[in-house]
Amino acid sequence: MDGFFPPAPARPSLAVAADTLFRRYDAWFRRVLRKRYGDMADDLAHEAYLRTAAHEAEGKVRYPKAFLLNVANNLATDQFRRQKREDDHIAYSSALTLQSTAAPQEYQLILKQIVLALPPELRDVFVLSHINGLTHRESALQLGLTERTVKERMRRATLRVAAAMRD
C-alpha cells in the first residue's frame, strides 16, 4: 500500500438515483401517501423523489424509506401552511370589503360595533393597523409586544371581523 486511498466510487447521477428510488419504493410509498394525504399523494411522491434523489446521489441517505416519508410529510405540512395563509388572506381581504348593500354610514357603524366587540388585545392591534395605518413592527413597538404576537393577534382579529361581517 502506497499510502493513497483508492479512488472513491463514482456517485450515481440524479436520474439514476431517482429511478432507483422509484423502482424500489414506489408501490409502498404511494400507498402510504394515499392513506395519509389522498389526492395530494402523487404530487407529494413526485416532489419527494426529486428531493431525495439529490441526497441519494451524494450518498447521504441511510434509510431511504424513512427519508422519503419525512420529505413527503414536510412537503405536505408546507402545503397545508401555504393553503392556510391563502385562506386567511382571502378572509382578511374580504373582511374589509363591502359585502352588503347597506349604505356606507350603516356599514361604518356595523364595522365599528364589530371592532368594539373584539377583545381588547385584538382590538388594539386591529385599530393600530387598520385605522391608524401602522405596520406590524410599529404596532409591536407601541404596544410593547413582539412582531410575531402582533401578527398573530391581527390574524385572529381579522378572522373574527370577517366572520362577523358575513353574519
Side-chain angles (χ1 to χ4, degrees), residues 81-151:
R81 286 180 183 154
R82 208 172 9 262
Q83 186 62 47
K84 183 172 178 356
R85 277 196 306 271
E86 289 174 12
D87 293 346
D88 288 350
H89 179 71
I90 290 169
Y92 175 79
S93 298
S94 66
L96 299 178
T97 60
L98 184 59
Q99 296 185 1
S100 69
T101 58
Q105 289 178 342
E106 291 178 41
Y107 175 74
Q108 289 176 354
L109 180 62
I110 292 169
L111 181 60
K112 184 177 181 180
Q113 291 171 342
I114 292 170
V115 171
L116 289 173
L118 289 172
E121 67 274 2
L122 301 182
R123 182 178 57 237
D124 293 344
V125 170
F126 191 86
V127 168
L128 287 175
S129 179
H130 284 291
I131 308 302
N132 297 346
L134 298 181
T135 65
H136 292 313
R137 177 168 286 153
E138 293 167 340
S139 297
L141 289 172
Q142 188 164 344
L143 295 171
L145 302 169
T146 65
E147 192 172 346
R148 184 175 180 166
T149 301
V150 169
K151 286 179 184 178

Side-chain angles (χ1 to χ4, degrees), residues 3-162:
F4 289 101
F5 293 106
R11 300 269 186 224
S13 71
L14 188 60
V16 171
D19 187 55
T20 302
L21 288 167
F22 178 80
R23 289 179 191 272
R24 285 186 185 159
Y25 305 113
D26 192 56
W28 163 82
F29 189 45
R30 288 186 195 260
R31 185 174 54 250
V32 170
L33 292 180
R34 278 191 193 99
K35 284 182 184 177
R36 289 185 184 182
Y37 303 111
D39 293 339
M40 293 173 50
D42 291 333
D43 291 336
L44 291 173
H46 181 262
E47 186 67 25
Y49 282 129
L50 291 176
R51 291 184 184 207
T52 302
H55 294 281
E56 180 73 17
E58 295 177 7
K60 294 181 179 178
V61 179
R62 288 179 80 183
Y63 304 103
K65 287 172 88 171
F67 197 89
L68 280 167
L69 273 179
N70 195 31
V71 169
N73 288 334
N74 289 341
L75 288 167
T77 300
D78 290 345
Q79 175 111 9
F80 291 139
R81 286 180 183 154
R82 208 172 9 262
Q83 186 62 47
K84 183 172 178 356
R85 277 196 306 271
E86 289 174 12
D87 293 346
D88 288 350
H89 179 71
I90 290 169
Y92 175 79
S93 298
S94 66
L96 299 178
T97 60
L98 184 59
Q99 296 185 1
S100 69
T101 58
Q105 289 178 342
E106 291 178 41
Y107 175 74
Q108 289 176 354
L109 180 62
I110 292 169
L111 181 60
K112 184 177 181 180
Q113 291 171 342
I114 292 170
V115 171
L116 289 173
L118 289 172
E121 67 274 2
L122 301 182
R123 182 178 57 237
D124 293 344
V125 170
F126 191 86
V127 168
L128 287 175
S129 179
H130 284 291
I131 308 302
N132 297 346
L134 298 181
T135 65
H136 292 313
R137 177 168 286 153
E138 293 167 340
S139 297
L141 289 172
Q142 188 164 344
L143 295 171
L145 302 169
T146 65
E147 192 172 346
R148 184 175 180 166
T149 301
V150 169
K151 286 179 184 178
E152 175 58 24
R153 288 181 181 179
M154 187 64 204
R155 185 189 67 78
R156 290 181 11 224
T158 302
L159 289 174
R160 285 187 181 199
V161 169

